[in-house]
Amino acid sequence: MQSINFRSIRHSIVVLSLLAGSVSAQTIPTADTTKGGPLDLGKMWTFDNPPSAYFQKTYKFTADDKWFEEARLASLRFADYCSASFVSGNGLVMTNHHCARESGTGVTRKGEDLNATGFFAKTPAEERKVDGLFVDQLVKIDDITKRVQDAMSGAAAPTDASRLQAREEAFAAIKKEYETKNGWKGLELQTITFYNGGRYALYGFKRYTDVRLVFMPELQLGFFGGDYDNFTYPRYALDCSFFRVYDGNKPLKTTHFFKFNTSGVRDGEPIFVIGNPGHTERLKTVAELEFDRDLQIPATIQLLRNRSNALQAYNVTAKNDSILNEIFSYENSLKAYGGQLDGLRDASLLARKTVFENQFKAAAKAQNLPADQLKTWDDIAANTTQLRSLFKDVNYLAPNERITGELLTFANVVTQFSELLATRPQDAERARSLMVPPVIKNKTLEEAYLAAHLTEAQAALGNDDPYVKAALIGADGKFRTPKETAAYLLKNTRLTDPAFISELATRPGAAAASNDPMLVLVRISFPRYVTAARQARQISEKQEVLRGQLGRMLYDVYGTAVPPDATFSLRINDGVVKSYNYNGTKAPILTTFFGLYDRNYSFADKAPWDLPARWKNPPMELLKQPMCFISTNDIIGGNSGSPMINKNLEAVGLAFDGNMESLPGEFIFVPDANRTISVHTGGIIAAMRYIYKADRLVSELTGVTAGQSGSVKK
């Protein structure tokens, strides 16, 4: 879960995703761990409907309204991509190192390398403000379901597109109204969708914008093991960092925080993660999951692999740190998507989804829901079949500079502008600023991306496809390789010539008549892409409305006993500290610093298992301290930085990753081997005490003052 958000990666690389993607609590369903059931949808409970009864039934633990309120107010959203929490009454904030990496290094001063040295502010005056960083505290919640659903079902919204537009208009009107409402003034307002539209809420956040860096370990510790160790366990990463919220230029005074408990966690102990899981798709139908299995995810993996290979080949000689970080991101995503695909190809997991889908249908029918609702599954399946037929043209002919390179993408822009110039001159004038030829700074990568695109198009569309034939068949009538074709196109195109572009931008029909090889290709691909993309967009609008209908049915049938999919909104989930079997053996529930050094020595202190100088001669007392541990909690990207707390609202860990077995969690939660990996609070304190000599933080977090010899005094 290092540095990448699964959903954002798909959206940043794939131009168009084809799949867009008040009831009292009812009888708590029991998950059938062999056949599937409602709790395969997970345990990401909302604070709108706290799972008090479930906690009591499962753990014999009474969590009252005050308990949930304290848990909510001590938890934070870190910027717009991670989670965090208050861990002292002086506004101290804990999150992951990989969440804070960009923010932390953003306060680097001349001559410093905080990735290499880490950072610790020995005095409050040394704490450094991070410009643009904020944390959000959820302080107000209101149910707006009826108002939004009424707007979507009115006579003014007869079509799928108009229903979605009515929803957005309702959101805007509600937020405008609440901006001046008592108790809501001055808050950051956000509309939250649950159950794909089965429920809606308005959240009000207290936003803190004066956030200062206090402590961050070296990159070698925060990202120990690099991508090789990512999504694996046993694990040895000190993936933590600390900031402080200031209010009026003074540390924020708060009574809402999680006190550190360094005593450790016990096997079987119930623990809770509070954070902002980014995105899951567990309510997807089996038909939609089969689409992902057969088309969407394999195509995404192929795209990621080819771009990563291109960057790796280039970086052999370039040795660019920025390129290296991009490679890490691609490799991280490849692991994530690979794990999802393995899960989708696991017949037992899809069988569980089928069992639950049939259970859901039967329960909906038993409640005598309307016939048009009961056919929702069939309607979604029919739409998905149509999307299958459009997938190739939408996915492989889409213009995007991160997929096809800048020049082929610009060729699409030129073609669109030329059409506007001939048919809608006024619109063309407004778009004229786009007719600027790109400056290709890196021809090697441009050629590699274009060759990767042509390779993918050839494999998917076949040699008889008109686009593939136009691209790959040379003047001699023989097929060239994608690499040869990419080199030819870049050598012979004039799209980098300002004079040529100026001519195309002033003479209607010039682009359509041009024999520029890039424009010749786009004249074939662009009409096909536009036709397919328009159809896919219309179908996706239908799917979004149908998914909302499915979500309403889920809520009607199961109520709050089943939590909604993740939407990067604050959730609480439960689990227990528990081992699991892997690789022919058994995983320990926790790791120690001994293991960190074993891994370091086993790899001869080579990256990414190398250690900074100050870590080279550790005291024996450090080695036996716990470092990381596992639990059965249900997390996903966005949960990074989430506090792991016990029943006493004490912080016992800091969630930072899941194991390989957790990767199918995008579409199903099966706790048999799915594990959350957390940094142990005892390990954090041990590192601060024995390595970083961060005495003032140790004292603030534990109330214990470090003695001269490293012993502790009350």
Side-chain angles (χ1 to χ4, degrees), residues 13-19 291 295-296 299 303 386-400 403-404 412 453 457 460-461 465 525-540:
I13 297 176
V14 180
V15 174
L16 179 65
S17 175
L18 297 181
L19 297 180
F291 174 94
L295 296 173
Q296 186 67 67
L303 185 149
Q386 293 183 58
L387 289 173
R388 281 179 176 268
S389 69
L390 299 170
F391 180 80
K392 290 182 179 180
D393 279 3
V394 173
N395 200 67
Y396 295 103
L397 301 180
N400 185 303
I403 299 176
T404 61
N412 280 271
H453 157 67
L461 303 175
D465 183 87
S525 64
F526 184 66
R528 285 172 56 181
Y529 167 72
V530 169
T531 299
R534 284 174 178 165
Q535 293 179 51
R537 183 167 56 249
Q538 293 170 354
I539 296 169
S540 294

Side-chain angles (χ1 to χ4, degrees), residues 341-511:
L341 186 58
D342 287 345
L344 287 168
R345 288 174 173 171
D346 184 334
S348 67
L349 293 185
L350 270 194
R352 289 177 71 127
K353 296 296 293 187
T354 301
V355 167
F356 169 65
E357 191 167 292
N358 290 333
Q359 290 175 0
F360 185 9
K361 289 178 182 178
K365 187 175 182 180
Q367 289 199 9
N368 295 315
L369 295 181
D372 64 321
Q373 292 186 30
L374 295 176
K375 64 189 289 285
T376 300
W377 288 273
D378 293 337
D379 292 341
I380 289 176
N383 288 335
T384 303
T385 298
Q386 293 183 58
L387 289 173
R388 281 179 176 268
S389 69
L390 299 170
F391 180 80
K392 290 182 179 180
D393 279 3
V394 173
N395 200 67
Y396 295 103
L397 301 180
N400 185 303
E401 63 185 42
R402 295 191 67 187
I403 299 176
T404 61
E406 294 183 71
L407 283 174
L408 194 59
T409 302
F410 183 61
N412 280 271
V413 173
V414 171
T415 299
Q416 293 176 67
F417 181 85
S418 181
E419 290 183 4
L420 287 176
L421 194 63
T423 58
R424 305 203 306 271
Q426 290 182 335
D427 290 338
E429 282 305 313
R430 287 194 289 270
R432 187 171 294 279
S433 62
L434 299 176
M435 291 291 286
V436 178
V439 177
I440 306 302
K441 298 178 181 179
N442 192 315
K443 292 183 179 180
T444 301
L445 280 181
E446 179 74 9
E447 183 177 320
Y449 279 4
L450 182 55
H453 157 67
L454 293 171
T455 299
E456 291 153 5
Q458 182 182 28
L461 303 175
N463 285 337
D464 291 332
D465 183 87
Y467 177 74
V468 174
K469 290 168 69 174
L472 299 185
I473 294 180
D476 59 359
K478 296 180 180 179
F479 271 94
R480 297 172 296 209
T481 68
K483 182 175 176 58
E484 291 170 341
T485 300
Y488 168 81
L489 290 171
L490 292 182
K491 181 180 179 180
N492 290 280
T493 186
R494 297 176 59 197
L495 291 179
T496 57
D497 180 359
F500 179 59
I501 299 304
S502 178
E503 178 187 353
L504 297 179
T506 55
R507 188 161 58 87

Side-chain angles (χ1 to χ4, degrees), residues 443-645:
K443 292 183 179 180
T444 301
L445 280 181
E446 179 74 9
E447 183 177 320
Y449 279 4
L450 182 55
H453 157 67
L454 293 171
T455 299
E456 291 153 5
Q458 182 182 28
L461 303 175
N463 285 337
D464 291 332
D465 183 87
Y467 177 74
V468 174
K469 290 168 69 174
L472 299 185
I473 294 180
D476 59 359
K478 296 180 180 179
F479 271 94
R480 297 172 296 209
T481 68
K483 182 175 176 58
E484 291 170 341
T485 300
Y488 168 81
L489 290 171
L490 292 182
K491 181 180 179 180
N492 290 280
T493 186
R494 297 176 59 197
L495 291 179
T496 57
D497 180 359
F500 179 59
I501 299 304
S502 178
E503 178 187 353
L504 297 179
T506 55
R507 188 161 58 87
S514 174
N515 63 357
D516 184 278
M518 290 277 196
L519 294 177
V520 170
L521 274 185
V522 168
R523 283 202 294 271
I524 298 172
S525 64
F526 184 66
R528 285 172 56 181
Y529 167 72
V530 169
T531 299
R534 284 174 178 165
Q535 293 179 51
R537 183 167 56 249
Q538 293 170 354
I539 296 169
S540 294
E541 289 172 349
K542 293 180 182 179
Q543 294 288 71
E544 190 170 352
V545 171
L546 288 169
R547 289 193 194 104
Q549 188 164 290
L550 196 64
R552 292 180 70 167
M553 291 168 62
L554 184 78
Y555 194 79
D556 288 342
V557 171
Y558 296 106
T560 59
V562 173
D565 267 313
T567 55
F568 197 58
S569 53
L570 193 66
R571 307 293 181 90
I572 181 168
N573 72 71
D574 60 288
V576 296
V577 178
K578 187 177 181 180
S579 176
Y580 68 102
N581 296 327
Y582 82 108
N583 199 27
T585 185
K586 187 177 181 67
I589 62 169
L590 56 81
T591 62
T592 67
F593 284 89
F594 267 118
L596 171 77
Y597 284 95
D598 175 71
R599 203 146 176 79
N600 169 254
Y601 276 98
S602 296
F603 285 101
D605 198 35
K606 293 181 180 179
W609 299 278
D610 53 330
L611 290 173
R614 65 175 154 196
W615 281 82
K616 292 300 172 93
N617 296 296
M620 183 60 66
E621 189 63 26
L622 171 69
L623 298 181
K624 63 184 182 182
Q625 299 298 324
M627 192 170 189
C628 299
F629 70 94
I630 50 173
S631 62
T632 62
N633 294 84
D634 179 15
I635 69 168
I636 202 79
N639 268 121
S640 292
S642 296
M644 181 80 72
I645 67 170

Side-chain angles (χ1 to χ4, degrees), residues 261-337:
N261 181 327
T262 61
S263 298
V265 289
R266 302 184 310 276
D267 194 4
E269 178 183 1
I271 48 179
F272 310 90
V273 171
I274 307 168
N276 301 273
H279 179 269
T280 55
E281 296 181 324
R282 296 170 183 172
L283 192 51
K284 271 190 171 181
T285 65
V286 172
E288 292 175 292
L289 292 175
E290 290 172 341
F291 174 94
D292 288 344
R293 179 197 64 195
D294 300 340
L295 296 173
Q296 186 67 67
I297 294 183
T300 301
I301 289 174
Q302 180 188 49
L303 185 149
L304 289 165
R305 171 48 59 208
N306 289 343
R307 273 62 187 176
S308 180
N309 288 345
L311 289 173
Q312 289 180 56
Y314 170 74
N315 216 37
V316 169
T317 54
K319 300 186 185 304
N320 183 293
D321 285 344
S322 178
I323 295 291
L324 188 61
N325 287 336
E326 193 169 354
I327 292 169
F328 285 158
S329 293
Y330 278 129
E331 292 300 314
N332 178 74
S333 297
L334 280 163
K335 261 193 178 180
Y337 281 117

